[in-house]
Amino acid sequence: GTRTAETSLSLKDGESVVLAGLIQPEDRTTVQKVRGLGDIPVLGEVFKTTTRDVVTTDVILTITPHIVRALELPPVDDQAFWSGTEEAYGLKQLFPDTGAGKGISGAAPMRPTPAPPGAPSPAPSSPGSQVPRQPPLGVLSLLPPDRTASVGEEIRLDVLVTNIEDLAEGTLTISYDPKVLEFRQAFEGEFLMREGTASVTTAANPATGTVAVRLTRPEGSKGVTGTGVLATLAFVAKEPGASPVAIQTSQLLSAAKAPLSATGGQGNVRVQ
């Protein structure tokens, strides 16, 4: 069985102590009998022997405590030292003293190299002279990239923009095969409608198989950053064949009317 003990000890580091007294008596009964005959009621007592023993056990514990101390750090001079480079070994300091090499034996402070006589002093850089950060390059794509439809079936393709920053308006030129597809209309996507509203207008030319999709947000609205669907294009399958649907050009502007760069994408529609 389980034995428990609770006590308090006061020992020195490395001093041993012996704990005893966890005594537990156990009653053990042993029955020896003749198989078959010993199981007969009343008469079976003649053919079996019962022995009862009381066994006492004691658990002895030896405890030796040790104090675990924190690792002592070596002096600063022993922690690091200058060793030179792969080509030239030495104790000469290679970098300006920033405090990390303080106290290192043989370390010499770095001195600035004087400019040659007559050389112009470098002009201090001003915050305004920094190169302005360029916005990330967006990616335009059509989803699904491949679509199969039957004659007379409506086909909808999403124009997805990825990794765009501060987009407020834009015009997309979409091309398709007018013999296979017929453009019907375009719907606003959820991207430009985040935290506001958006509108879409189209100008289609069925003869050339192109459509200009104009997307705008209200004047004074903030631009939208991230990834999402700009618009959804609706076509109708006219004749069997294959028609690529491509984003030929894109003119995207930020809220400050600054141009944004984006690469175009292409999808394919097969009409059976």
Side-chain angles (χ1 to χ4, degrees):
T2 303
R3 309 180 193 185
T4 59
E6 183 176 350
T7 185
S8 298
L9 300 174
S10 179
L11 302 174
K12 297 180 181 180
D13 184 18
E15 184 179 358
S16 299
V17 66
V18 178
L19 294 180
L22 299 177
I23 301 174
Q24 180 177 357
E26 296 181 3
D27 291 337
R28 298 180 181 178
T29 302
T30 305
V31 178
Q32 296 179 345
K33 61 182 178 180
V34 179
R35 180 176 300 179
L37 298 178
D39 297 329
I40 300 175
V42 182
L43 185 60
E45 297 294 329
V46 180
F47 299 96
K48 65 181 178 181
T49 303
T50 302
T51 304
R52 182 180 180 184
D53 299 322
V54 178
V55 180
T56 303
T57 58
D58 188 8
V59 177
I60 300 176
L61 302 177
T62 301
I63 301 176
T64 304
H66 294 281
I67 299 176
V68 180
R69 295 180 174 86
L71 180 64
E72 297 182 0
L73 296 178
V76 177
D77 292 346
D78 297 336
Q79 294 182 26
F81 58 90
W82 297 104
S83 60
T85 63
E86 295 182 358
E87 291 79 12
Y89 299 98
L91 297 177
K92 184 177 180 181
Q93 184 172 351
L94 301 178
F95 309 104
D97 191 0
T98 59
K102 186 177 180 181
I104 297 178
S105 175
M110 296 289 291
R111 295 182 175 85
T113 304
S121 58
S125 59
S126 60
S129 62
Q130 297 179 357
V131 178
R133 186 182 69 87
Q134 296 295 329
L137 178 64
V139 178
L140 295 170
S141 57
L142 292 173
L143 296 179
D146 293 287
R147 175 70 188 278
T148 301
S150 302
V151 175
E153 182 181 351
E154 185 181 67
I155 304 166
R156 294 197 176 190
L157 302 177
D158 291 333
V159 180
L160 180 71
V161 62
T162 306
N163 195 35
I164 201 69
E165 185 176 290
D166 194 30
L167 177 61
E169 59 180 288
T171 301
L172 308 176
T173 302
I174 312 296
S175 65
Y176 60 95
D177 188 348
K179 297 180 181 179
V180 179
L181 300 177
E182 177 185 348
F183 176 76
R184 285 294 178 88
Q185 59 181 328
F187 305 94
E188 299 91 341
E190 51 82 23
F191 184 73
L192 287 181
M193 298 181 67
R194 298 176 185 175
E195 300 181 2
T197 59
S199 60
V200 58
T201 57
T202 60
N205 188 342
T208 60
T210 58
V211 56
V213 181
R214 171 73 175 165
L215 301 162
T216 57
R217 284 168 63 88
E219 191 69 25
S221 300
K222 296 181 179 180
V224 184
T225 300
T227 299
V229 177
L230 280 180
T232 300
L233 308 177
F235 296 89
V236 173
K238 292 174 56 178
E239 299 291 340
S243 171
V245 180
I247 303 174
Q248 295 290 348
T249 60
S250 61
Q251 297 177 354
L252 306 180
L253 299 177
S254 66
K257 306 300 181 182
L260 302 176
S261 300
T263 59
Q266 177 175 312
N268 295 283
V269 177
R270 295 177 179 84
V271 179
Q272 299 176 347

